[in-house]
């Protein structure tokens, strides 16, 4: 029973953390308190379910337990500060806020908009929402921002302190206020998807729960902004649908990574692709932003029936556009991969070596694995092995690690 109950707690934490915290923030109106009691409730579940068994409705059990713990904490605080003198006054402190659910009909999405308050810096909005509602660990968020975990931890503390000190309200923005928060909201949704698409840590490469949740939230945002959703909202939905359409082909039966050119394209979800392609085209025509351009890149991959049919010159053109309009080290790295497919590994290696000299991606394992692959294709097996070893020292996902270990063994054998 212990093993089953522990697995149930872990599965619930992975799949429903955001939903539980969102519900608790709605109940208690305090984001730090909601996160604290949610953690305590999960700890209680881990202990109690070992003897009593997993309840019929485990999420409801966690929320109810957390709610009782929140009430106890609020009582203790009230007694300590002598601010509450009657049961009626206490009842007001945990009253459910009167949200207008016709505006934002989902607890999690409502609270994503709330956390993305313009009084906070954009990075702080995104990081705080990922931590609180996405359930991502500080290390996972740090990877998304390409900063050390300690730096991200400090940012999270500062953001929470600012919310407390400035008394930023957990109020639902009206539809007219949504545009100023939309960039952060879309960034949060996409980063949640990315963690599901390529999990930072642990065994499975793919966390389907996060991918599905991110796509669901994107659909909700687009529905809220109908009849004229901004192109980037449509582009993000298309981008995630296209990436997720390849989910079943990205791992083999042993759970090992299968790279794009070796995937069985019969396993791609053609229904999702058919839904996404018109959305990608619509978004791009509406004025190409970063999500719209990336959706067009993903569309070019999904429209190729075979790897050799991929329109790499168009993909390179789109990366050129993305690099000019929204430059970043990761965009430069991805563009170099497209250069390799159009112009050959030599020119691409020069680009990656130049990028490596900046130091921006020195701790990013994909930079070193891409460099290793180009060196492998050029026949420089010893240099390739060194780059694979660096990538292996940085990678934290088991599926990616096994893939890199296979490639390292291959180049080491060729180097002999």
């Amino acid at each position: 029973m212990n093993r089953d109950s522990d697995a149930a707690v872990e599965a619930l934490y992975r799949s429903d953390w955001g939903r539980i915290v969102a519900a608790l923030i709605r109940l208690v109106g305090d984001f730090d308190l909601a996160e604290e009691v949610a953690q305590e409730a999960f700890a209680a579940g881990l202990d109690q379910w070992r003897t009593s068994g997993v309840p019929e409705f485990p999420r409801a059990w966690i929320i109810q337990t957390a709610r009782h713990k929140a009430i106890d904490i609020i009582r203790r605080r009230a007694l300590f500060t002598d601010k509450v003198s009657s049961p009626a006054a206490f009842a007001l402190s945990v009253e459910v806020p009167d949200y207008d659910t016709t505006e934002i009909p989902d607890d999690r999405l409502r609270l994503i908009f709330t956390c993305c308050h313009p009084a906070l810096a954009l990075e702080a909005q995104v990081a705080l929402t990922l931590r609180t509602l996405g359930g991502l660990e500080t290390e996972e968020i740090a990877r998304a921002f390409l900063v050390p975990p300690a730096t991200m931890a400090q940012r999270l503390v500062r953001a929470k302190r600012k919310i407390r000190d400035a008394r930023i309200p957990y109020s639902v923005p009206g539809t007219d206020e949504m545009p100023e928060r939309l960039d952060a909201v879309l960034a949060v949704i996409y980063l949640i998807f990315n963690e599901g698409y390529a999990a930072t840590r642990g065994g499975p490469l793919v966390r389907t729960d996060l991918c599905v949740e991110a796509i669901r939230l994107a659909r909700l945002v687009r529905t809220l902004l109908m009849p004229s959703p901004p192109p980037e909202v449509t582009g993000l939905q298309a981008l995630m649908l296209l990436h997720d359409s390849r989910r079943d082909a990205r791992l083999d039966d042993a759970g090992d990574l299968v790279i794009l050119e070796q995937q069985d394209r019969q396993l791609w979800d053609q229904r999702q692709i058919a839904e996404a392609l018109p959305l990608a085209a619509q978004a791009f025509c509406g004025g190409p932003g970063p999500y719209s351009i990336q959706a067009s890149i993903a569309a070019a991959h999904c429209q190729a029936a075979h790897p050799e049919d991929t329109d790499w010159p168009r993909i390179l053109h789109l990366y050129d556009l993305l690099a000019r309009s929204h430059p970043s080290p990761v965009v430069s790295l991805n563009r170099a991969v497209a250069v390799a497919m159009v112009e050959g590994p030599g020119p691409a290696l020069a680009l990656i070596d130049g990028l490596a000299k900046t130091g921006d991606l020195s701790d990013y394992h994909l930079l070193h694995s891409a460099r290793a692959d180009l060196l492998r294709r050029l026949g420089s097996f010893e240099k390739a092995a060194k780059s694979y070893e660096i990538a292996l020292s940085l990678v934290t996902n088991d599926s990616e690690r096994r893939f890199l270990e296979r490639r390292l063994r291959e180049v080491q054998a060729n180097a002999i």
Side-chain angles (χ1 to χ4, degrees):
M1 182 179 290
N2 284 0
R3 187 178 302 170
D4 291 344
S5 62
D6 289 358
V9 171
E10 181 180 358
L12 184 65
Y13 182 90
R14 287 172 64 89
S15 65
D16 281 49
W17 170 263
R19 183 179 302 178
I20 289 166
V21 172
L24 289 169
I25 293 177
R26 177 172 56 83
L27 288 169
V28 304
D30 182 306
F31 139 167
D32 271 335
L33 178 59
E35 191 172 21
E36 177 185 345
V37 296
Q39 291 170 344
E40 290 184 5
F42 271 102
L46 193 64
D47 182 51
Q48 294 182 32
W49 296 359
R50 288 175 176 173
T51 54
S52 63
V54 179
E56 183 178 3
F57 302 106
R59 186 175 73 230
W61 190 97
I62 292 289
I63 291 173
Q64 188 68 7
T65 300
R67 179 178 176 276
H68 289 315
K69 290 181 179 295
I71 291 172
D72 290 342
I73 290 172
I74 292 170
R75 279 201 180 110
R76 289 197 300 271
R77 289 177 181 174
L79 290 171
F80 181 75
T81 58
D82 199 29
K83 289 182 178 179
V84 175
S85 57
S86 70
F90 167 72
L92 291 175
S93 68
V94 292
E95 183 180 2
V96 176
D98 184 18
Y99 290 119
D100 179 359
T101 54
T102 62
E103 284 288 313
I104 303 180
D106 177 272
D107 268 349
R108 284 157 292 175
L109 186 60
R110 183 186 304 131
L111 286 162
I112 286 176
F113 270 102
T114 301
C115 288
C116 293
H117 194 282
L120 298 173
L122 179 60
E123 282 195 357
Q125 295 175 31
V126 174
L128 193 57
T129 313
L130 287 173
R131 178 70 191 97
T132 307
L133 300 181
L136 274 62
E137 298 295 335
T138 302
E139 179 183 330
E140 296 166 341
I141 302 168
R143 186 185 77 150
F145 283 94
L146 301 177
V147 299
T151 300
M152 181 52 63
Q154 291 172 354
R155 290 182 185 176
L156 291 168
V157 169
R158 285 196 297 268
K160 288 183 179 182
R161 186 183 300 129
K162 182 164 186 177
I163 286 177
R164 184 190 68 236
D165 294 347
R167 297 187 178 181
I168 293 173
Y170 287 96
S171 58
V172 178
T175 304
D176 58 333
E177 298 174 1
M178 286 186 192
E180 66 180 347
R181 307 190 189 191
L182 193 57
D183 286 348
V185 170
L186 297 183
V188 165
I189 292 173
Y190 191 41
L191 287 171
I192 289 173
F193 177 85
N194 279 339
E195 181 60 28
Y197 184 81
T200 304
R201 297 179 298 177
L205 177 69
V206 179
R207 285 189 58 183
T208 302
D209 58 317
L210 291 181
C211 291
V212 170
E213 174 68 359
I215 291 172
R216 187 189 70 81
L217 291 170
R219 290 188 196 277
L220 269 177
V221 172
R222 189 163 181 268
T223 299
L224 284 171
L225 297 170
M226 285 294 191
S228 301
E232 281 294 84
V233 176
T234 301
L236 177 60
Q237 183 177 333
L239 173 60
M240 295 190 298
L241 284 169
L242 290 166
H243 281 330
D244 188 62
S245 70
R246 298 188 288 106
R247 182 200 311 158
D248 291 342
R250 294 180 60 225
L251 299 174
D252 63 17
D253 291 341
D256 290 336
L257 176 66
V258 180
I259 59 176
L260 179 60
E261 64 189 37
Q262 295 176 355
Q263 288 176 11
D264 180 356
R265 301 187 179 215
Q266 298 293 323
L267 297 176
W268 290 3
D269 189 333
Q270 295 301 323
R271 179 191 57 80
Q272 277 193 200
I273 293 172
E275 178 188 356
L277 290 178
L279 295 176
Q282 176 188 340
F284 192 82
C285 291
Y291 299 122
S292 302
I293 297 171
Q294 291 176 79
S296 293
I297 293 169
H301 284 297
C302 288
Q303 287 172 312
H306 306 93
E308 58 271 20
D309 298 331
T310 305
D311 189 349
W312 281 106
R314 171 165 171 73
I315 290 173
L316 178 56
H317 168 73
L318 290 167
Y319 272 121
D320 288 340
L321 180 60
L322 187 60
R324 287 195 301 270
S325 60
H326 296 83
S328 78
V330 173
V331 169
S332 297
L333 176 61
N334 291 335
R335 180 183 176 277
V337 173
V339 167
M341 301 305 294
V342 176
E343 302 175 15
L349 181 60
L351 292 173
I352 287 184
D353 284 345
L355 187 58
K357 288 178 182 178
T358 68
D360 291 334
L361 298 178
S362 58
D363 294 330
Y364 191 50
H365 74 280
L366 293 178
L367 171 77
H368 302 284
S369 64
R371 185 174 187 275
D373 185 62
L374 295 174
L375 289 165
R376 177 185 65 85
R377 290 167 59 184
L378 288 167
S380 299
F381 298 119
E382 290 184 4
K383 291 182 179 179
K386 291 180 180 178
S387 287
Y388 277 129
E389 287 170 351
I390 296 173
L392 276 165
S393 71
L394 296 170
V395 71
T396 53
N397 180 273
D398 292 345
S399 296
E400 290 181 292
R401 180 183 302 281
R402 290 194 297 272
F403 172 79
L404 292 172
E405 287 171 342
R406 290 199 306 274
R407 280 294 171 87
L408 175 60
R409 288 194 296 269
E410 290 171 8
V411 296
Q412 286 174 332
N414 284 319
I416 297 174

